[in-house]
Amino acid sequence: MQYLTILGSTGSIGTSTLDVVARHPGKFKIVALTANCHVDLLFRQCQQFKPRYAVMLGGDAAAQLRERVREAGLEIEVLSGAAALEHVSVLPEVDTVMAAIVGAAGLQPTLAAARAGKKILLANKETLVMAGNVFMDAVRASGSVLLPIDSEHNAIFQALPRGYDGDLAGNGVRRILLTASGGPFRNTPLEELQHVTPEQACAHPNWSMGRKISVDSASMMNKGLEVIEAHWLFNASADDIQVVVHPQSVIHSLVEYVDGSVLAQLGNPDMRTPIAYGLAWPERIDSGVAPLDLFKVATMNFTAPDFERFPCLALAYQALRAAGTAPAILNAANEVAVAAFLDKRIPFLYIPRLIEAALDALPVNAVGSLDDVLGADAEARRVAQQQIGKL
Ligand code: NAD
Ligand code: MG
């Protein structure tokens, strides 16, 4: 039996994780579920999975949930606040933490899980973008097992040699090919991009996801964040990682070896496949995902990324090359910009402008500790908000 904490259980990844867990009642037991503010859904999940703990970020939401749990006669301790997220990530009875909070809010509980030596299923890519060296040091020091859930990184993990030790060349790898769908605006005329709405940006052609990552996919910042994520997970430099636009989202990424072999992982675009892989690794379990029908796929296309159409992707490569606090600055400015776009306070094309302004305004410092990361994050949010104020 594997005992689990799901950080962000009410989100897209969280609900997909619970869908897989529910298929294998003899293998997994939920210890803790956490969410930001969706009381109804977290309550329903509590009824179904009967965790020992449920965490709502806000105190009011927690009070509402506590009342409903009491009325239903469930024996669940309801906690609130950011410290409670860390608490349920380090409990001795927890084996595995699914890190599926969106954005910078996921960093500290995920880092706490790493420090506590938990097996980590990492969906929250922002943890690695912001604090890659701090997080990877914690993973190494505690001996945590770290399994990537992001579909591309999960594919790369599967296509690399078992027990890959962080040495690409030593393992005969020439480069990593990171696939991207290109999102909903891959072919939108450039002059129309100025006027696209949050609804259009969130209507991804292949994947159903949370709103923040959907906007990131539309700007291709998601792929930029994933390049940085791949850098930390696989010890790959910016030059080792080639983004390949593949609109069908059937090949989830590839590893190219020096002998000319290219190994890929394919599947329907459904996050339950990488989630099930992470949950059961090194075994395989049913995920509920339909078998891939290659006759239905019929054709697959590949093109080079368009850095002019998608300046966010270029900014992410730039931040990775600048290293230090640059990726944390990029990430924080992007979070502010995406939230402002979703609130209809800025047009879509201002997202890269705000990020560029933050990267230009702030010094890049070395990252020695979590505080360095949090400082850069706060500064970048301040600069990005200032820019929005000037509009
Ligand atoms: P989502 O918006 O659907 O869900 C986010 C979850 O985090 C919710 O449970 C929400 O309650 C919780 N949350 C939000 N803000 C919080 C806060 N401040 N404190 C505590 N909890 C908070 O997001 P998602 O699409 O499931 O994505 C989650 C993470 O997984 C992101 O980092 C995303 O980049 C990554 N990811 C998602 C997908 C996908 O298909 N959805 C694929 C790859 C990677
Ligand atoms: Mg991905």
Side-chain angles (χ1 to χ4, degrees), residues 125 150-152 222-223 226:
K125 64 193 84 186
D150 212 344
S151 56
E152 296 77 2
N222 183 49
K223 211 48 53 183
E226 290 184 356

Side-chain angles (χ1 to χ4, degrees), residues 36-68:
N36 185 17
C37 56
H38 199 329
V39 176
D40 272 344
L41 182 52
L42 193 57
F43 175 66
R44 276 183 270 130
Q45 293 179 341
C46 284
Q47 284 182 306
Q48 187 180 353
F49 294 95
K50 305 199 168 43
R52 270 209 59 203
Y53 301 90
V55 182
M56 302 267 8
L57 188 66
D60 288 350
Q64 284 175 39
L65 181 68
R66 201 171 287 122
E67 184 56 23
R68 293 186 62 180

Side-chain angles (χ1 to χ4, degrees), residues 242-264:
Q242 171 69 53
V243 172
V244 177
V245 177
H246 161 49
Q248 291 84 7
S249 299
V250 169
I251 296 181
H252 298 307
S253 278
L254 316 89
V255 175
E256 182 182 309
Y257 288 85
V258 287
D259 62 1
S261 299
V262 180
L263 300 191

Side-chain angles (χ1 to χ4, degrees), residues 91-108:
L91 292 166
E93 64 265 43
V94 168
D95 304 307
T96 300
V97 174
M98 164 55 84
I101 290 175
V102 60
L107 169 59
Q108 296 196 56

Side-chain angles (χ1 to χ4, degrees), residues 198-356:
E199 290 64 38
Q200 288 172 298
C202 289
H204 196 280
N206 308 335
W207 296 96
S208 147
M209 310 181 284
R211 282 164 73 77
K212 190 262 178 181
I213 184 177
S214 295
V215 176
D216 286 347
S217 298
S219 69
M220 281 194 81
M221 178 54 92
N222 183 49
K223 211 48 53 183
L225 300 177
E226 290 184 356
V227 169
I228 301 172
E229 183 184 13
H231 160 72
W232 289 111
L233 284 171
F234 307 118
N235 195 28
S237 72
D239 295 329
D240 295 329
I241 306 164
Q242 171 69 53
V243 172
V244 177
V245 177
H246 161 49
Q248 291 84 7
S249 299
V250 169
I251 296 181
H252 298 307
S253 278
L254 316 89
V255 175
E256 182 182 309
Y257 288 85
V258 287
D259 62 1
S261 299
V262 180
L263 300 191
Q265 186 259 1
L266 288 74
N268 285 318
D270 186 322
M271 289 306 293
R272 290 176 300 174
T273 293
I275 289 167
Y277 182 87
L279 282 169
W281 180 88
E283 290 168 20
R284 301 263 182 183
I285 54 171
D286 172 39
S287 65
V289 176
L292 179 65
D293 183 345
L294 283 173
F295 301 127
K296 218 161 134 192
V297 174
T299 34
M300 292 195 263
N301 304 90
F302 306 96
T303 54
D306 180 344
F307 289 97
E308 277 173 31
R309 174 181 287 269
F310 298 111
C312 285
L313 183 57
L315 289 168
Y317 267 104
Q318 180 191 320
L320 174 57
R321 291 198 163 96
T325 50
I329 294 168
L330 172 97
N331 179 69
N334 180 57
E335 286 191 21
V336 170
V338 169
F341 169 68
L342 285 171
D343 282 355
K344 304 193 172 163
R345 284 183 285 128
I346 63 167
F348 184 70
L349 291 179
Y350 276 59
I351 295 173
R353 289 208 214 165
L354 292 188
I355 299 163
E356 195 168 15

